Amino acid sequence: MTALSLRALNRALLDRQFLLARTDRTPLDVIGRLVALQAQEPNWPYVGLWSRINGFTRAELTALVEDREVVRSALLRSTQHLTTADDFLRMRPLLQPVLDRTAGSSYFTRSRGARNSATAHGTGLDAASLVAEGLALLGGRTLPRRELARRLAERHPGHDGRILAGEVELRTPLVHDPATASWGSWGNRSAISVTPAEAWLGRPAAATGDGEAAKELIRRYLAAFGPAGVKDVQAWSGLTRLGEVVATMGAELRRCSGPGGAELFDLADAELPDPETPAPARLLPAFDNVLLGHADRTRIIDDEDRPRVTPGSARVLPTFLVDGRVRGTWSLAAGTLRLTPFRPLSAADRAALEEEAHRMLPFVGGTAVAHDARPPMT
């Protein structure tokens, strides 16, 4: 069994994520390789692709969304992701139990007075009926989420229509329309419009999420995030009991070990870059999956730095990489892109980082780069 160092895992991850060198592949190809881009806010996937693709423009991704080749919807870990339409239709049935589990949490069931995830108390409003009502109100067309919420609240006085609409969106495949899935104002989450996926794409999702679908998801994950352990793919997807699936994949996977002897898996034919390969400075968007794609994230970020990136309220801040690791965060306000390192950088690293930030300015609509004079206090 090959033993892999933390640096070897880091370089493998960066290579598969197109962060060791930008690629000339098309945005559609890159999205497919990465499986999905986390997209709580519509601008961030654009930034993620800019950092990975040579000459990427915003118009390229917007065209893919408008042409219905790429969709934004609830997917991995019950969070909003941008993925190819084909992958969405294949993966959504496999991941539906994860979304149903979220929809059955107390946050949602309290809103409709439910005793459990399937039955409401004294209202006749069970999960299946709620979904049927939501789809009937949508009628196969695009509707603002707030309008769907208003109509559901009218039908069920005393219930929070926003939470009811959110549950519908989790329990049945809905996609966001191009106006709310494409580049827009920073921090704009309020104006989302949704459409039933089958009506938008003209074809239904796969019938079931069977064992072969789970194997394919593991293969795709390893191609983008490997080598990795079972807990890593489960943390990324939200699925459980994937160890049973891995055990059936036999010779198509090779075993290796990580720091501390942890058992890891990889595609049998996957190549690993030289651990000494230089890693350029890169700016990553908020919620980038390269930070969220593993249970053990030490290959990309030190444990002591994670609270700086995830300060609470379900936020994951934009970050920057120096020598392949998260070394700080960045922000954009009033046209200024501000770099905030966790600790002092060398003069060469600082210059490389600022050069990359200046390259990003036109893309994000910035006018200046500022570098905090002192790292933040711990």
Side-chain angles (χ1 to χ4, degrees), residues 313-337:
S313 302
R315 291 182 297 158
V316 181
L317 302 181
T319 59
F320 60 77
L321 303 180
V322 173
D323 191 28
R325 299 188 63 78
V326 174
R327 295 304 187 199
T329 61
W330 63 274
S331 59
L332 182 69
T336 296
L337 193 162

Side-chain angles (χ1 to χ4, degrees), residues 89-100:
L89 293 173
R90 281 195 294 264
M91 289 192 295
R92 178 66 187 242
L94 176 65
L95 298 169
Q96 191 58 53
V98 181
L99 287 93
D100 288 340

Side-chain angles (χ1 to χ4, degrees), residues 11-246:
R11 292 311 194 252
L13 175 62
L14 296 180
D15 184 47
R16 296 179 195 193
Q17 290 278 321
F18 305 110
L19 292 170
L20 271 187
R22 283 184 169 90
T23 181
D24 291 324
R25 294 189 187 191
T26 68
L28 188 65
D29 285 345
V30 171
I31 295 169
R33 167 65 176 267
L34 301 180
V35 188
L37 301 175
Q38 195 152 333
Q40 269 86 334
E41 296 178 3
N43 286 5
W44 291 123
Y46 286 79
V47 175
L49 293 177
W50 180 89
S51 290
R52 290 169 164 91
I53 301 174
N54 283 316
F56 173 74
T57 65
R58 298 201 300 258
E60 292 177 276
L61 180 54
T62 298
L64 289 174
V65 176
E66 291 177 343
D67 292 343
R68 310 188 186 197
E69 294 184 78
V70 166
V71 297
R72 181 184 185 220
S73 182
L75 198 65
L76 298 163
R77 304 183 299 279
S78 300
T79 55
Q80 301 297 333
H81 279 75
L82 203 71
T83 190
T84 70
D86 289 343
D87 279 345
F88 177 76
L89 293 173
R90 281 195 294 264
M91 289 192 295
R92 178 66 187 242
L94 176 65
L95 298 169
Q96 191 58 53
V98 181
L99 287 93
D100 288 340
R101 187 168 67 235
T102 302
S105 67
S106 60
Y107 174 79
F108 291 97
T109 56
R110 275 201 308 266
S111 174
R112 56 185 174 86
R115 290 172 176 160
N116 54 52
S117 62
T119 306
H121 174 62
T123 65
L125 181 60
D126 58 73
S129 297
L130 175 62
V131 169
E133 283 190 4
L135 290 175
L137 290 170
L138 285 165
R141 67 189 189 281
T142 300
L143 197 67
R145 185 194 281 165
R146 60 174 175 265
E147 178 64 13
L148 176 61
R150 184 187 68 79
R151 295 185 185 187
L152 287 169
E154 284 181 348
R155 289 181 170 224
H156 303 284
H159 297 276
D160 189 326
R162 294 170 301 175
I163 297 178
L164 294 177
E167 183 172 352
V168 171
E169 193 170 347
L170 287 170
R171 291 194 181 276
T172 192
L174 304 181
V175 299
H176 298 179
D177 78 319
T180 55
S182 303
W183 183 273
S185 61
W186 296 99
N188 180 17
R189 303 186 192 186
S190 61
I192 292 172
S193 294
V194 293
T195 310
E198 183 172 352
W200 181 253
L201 297 175
R203 58 196 194 278
T208 60
D210 58 17
E212 285 304 313
K215 289 180 184 179
E216 180 59 21
L217 190 70
I218 291 169
R219 295 183 194 106
R220 298 281 301 282
Y221 170 80
L222 291 174
F225 295 91
V230 170
K231 289 183 179 179
D232 293 317
V233 66
Q234 291 182 162
W236 167 80
S237 66
L239 294 168
T240 59
R241 303 181 67 177
L242 291 182
E244 300 172 9
V245 181
V246 167

Side-chain angles (χ1 to χ4, degrees), residues 291 301 305-312 315-319 326 328-329 342:
L291 270 73
I301 185 172
D305 291 332
R306 285 178 60 177
R308 304 171 188 257
V309 175
T310 54
R315 291 182 297 158
V316 181
L317 302 181
T319 59
V326 174
T329 61
F342 296 151

